[in-house]
């Protein structure tokens, strides 16, 4: 079972967290992505776990035909996606949510046509009140749009057995976020670790039982 965890800064910070916890350092001369399966204690579940996080990544970039995801997805049985939050950080999150939904569904369908057996879409987390001055929109506006978008994607996944909507338990709370109200603190990263591990084991079981 080969697994790819792909997404925005949450995923990027998570890969760095795993490297720090395992006291490992990537080989600067290697052309291969790091296998995190042992660090995640998933070596008995997955043959390979690659984690690729790109800060600031939005859905349109992830779905670009020449982008990383579209060029490597065919190599994996399971793709875990953590996307969508950056797209809602606009002047009108409610309107953007409709566009994001169409783009997300198209991305999920594209990954399945590449031969991915299971696509897991992690829920778009809410934001805490900012502790630093920041431009609009407010966290409340983003959270309202995120709630509606999550609901729509969850409904879609219920109609497609090859797609799972996954709630990141313990991550969607204020005490899991850093002072900027956006990114995960250490407690949040620990909860994120457990949530991502569960998403992989759940996806692997569903494939095995097909």
């Amino acid at each position: 079972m080969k697994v790819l965890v792909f997404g925005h800064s949450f995923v990027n910070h998570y890969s760095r967290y795993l490297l720090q916890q395992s006291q490992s350092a990537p080989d600067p001369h290697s052309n291969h992505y790091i296998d995190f399966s042992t660090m995640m204690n998933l070596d008995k579940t997955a043959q390979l776990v690659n984690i690729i996080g790109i800060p600031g990544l939005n859905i349109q970039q992830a779905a670009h035909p020449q982008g990383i995801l579209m060029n490597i997805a065919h190599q994996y049985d399971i793709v875990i996606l953590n996307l969508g939050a950056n797209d809602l950080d606009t002047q009108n999150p409610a309107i953007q949510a409709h566009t994001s939904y169409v783009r997300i569904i198209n991305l999920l369908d594209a990954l399945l046509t590449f031969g991915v057996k299971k696509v897991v879409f992690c829920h778009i987390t809410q934001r805490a009140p900012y502790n630093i001055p920041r431009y609009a929109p407010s966290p409340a506006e983003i959270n309202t749009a995120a709630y509606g978008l999550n609901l729509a994607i969850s409904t879609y996944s219920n109609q497609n057995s090859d797609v799972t909507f996954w709630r990141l338990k313990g991550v969607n709370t204020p005490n899991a976020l850093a002072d900027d109200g956006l990114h995960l603190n250490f407690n949040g990263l620990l909860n994120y670790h457990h949530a991502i591990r569960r998403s992989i084991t759940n996806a692997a079981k569903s494939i095995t039982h097909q």
Side-chain angles (χ1 to χ4, degrees), residues 83-151:
L83 296 165
N86 292 321
D87 299 77
L88 298 179
D89 200 349
T90 67
Q91 291 297 320
N92 198 323
I95 292 178
Q96 180 59 42
H98 293 285
T99 302
S100 293
Y101 174 75
V102 174
R103 288 175 176 170
I104 289 169
I105 300 307
N106 289 340
L107 174 58
L108 299 177
D109 290 344
L111 292 173
L112 294 175
T113 62
F114 290 159
V116 177
K117 297 176 182 177
K118 176 71 74 171
V119 182
V120 179
F121 189 90
C122 297
H123 89 273
I124 300 169
T125 55
Q126 296 196 341
R127 298 190 175 185
Y130 305 129
N131 291 328
I132 54 176
R134 203 167 178 278
Y135 61 86
S138 69
E141 291 176 284
I142 294 177
N143 293 343
T144 298
Y147 177 84
L149 184 52
N150 282 330
L151 185 61

Side-chain angles (χ1 to χ4, degrees), residues 13-40:
H13 294 166
Y14 177 51
S15 65
R16 288 158 48 192
Y17 163 84
L18 288 174
L19 289 171
Q20 290 174 348
Q21 294 302 304
S22 65
Q23 297 184 335
S24 300
D27 180 358
H29 303 294
S30 174
N31 293 322
H32 300 286
Y33 295 115
I34 300 170
D35 179 8
F36 287 90
S37 57
T38 300
M39 297 181 211
M40 298 178 71

Side-chain angles (χ1 to χ4, degrees), residues 49-206:
V49 178
N50 292 143
I51 300 177
I52 303 175
I54 304 172
L57 183 73
N58 61 38
I59 302 162
Q60 193 169 11
Q61 292 167 337
H64 194 283
Q66 302 304 317
I68 295 174
L69 179 60
M70 293 294 98
N71 280 278
I72 66 173
H74 67 279
Q75 303 174 24
Y76 299 92
D77 303 294
I78 300 169
V79 174
I80 313 290
L81 294 176
N82 194 183
L83 296 165
N86 292 321
D87 299 77
L88 298 179
D89 200 349
T90 67
Q91 291 297 320
N92 198 323
I95 292 178
Q96 180 59 42
H98 293 285
T99 302
S100 293
Y101 174 75
V102 174
R103 288 175 176 170
I104 289 169
I105 300 307
N106 289 340
L107 174 58
L108 299 177
D109 290 344
L111 292 173
L112 294 175
T113 62
F114 290 159
V116 177
K117 297 176 182 177
K118 176 71 74 171
V119 182
V120 179
F121 189 90
C122 297
H123 89 273
I124 300 169
T125 55
Q126 296 196 341
R127 298 190 175 185
Y130 305 129
N131 291 328
I132 54 176
R134 203 167 178 278
Y135 61 86
S138 69
E141 291 176 284
I142 294 177
N143 293 343
T144 298
Y147 177 84
L149 184 52
N150 282 330
L151 185 61
I153 298 169
S154 176
T155 300
Y156 171 83
S157 71
N158 290 335
Q159 301 167 355
N160 190 329
S161 60
D162 296 325
V163 176
T164 297
F165 179 78
W166 192 259
R167 295 194 178 278
L168 299 169
K169 187 177 180 180
V171 174
N172 213 37
T173 57
N175 66 351
L177 297 175
D179 288 341
D180 63 3
L182 307 175
H183 300 100
L184 298 175
N185 57 24
F186 184 83
N187 181 59
L189 282 168
L190 180 60
N191 292 340
Y192 189 82
H193 166 66
H194 293 307
I196 293 296
R197 280 192 79 258
R198 285 193 295 267
S199 75
I200 293 173
T201 56
N202 180 75
K205 287 178 181 177
S206 69

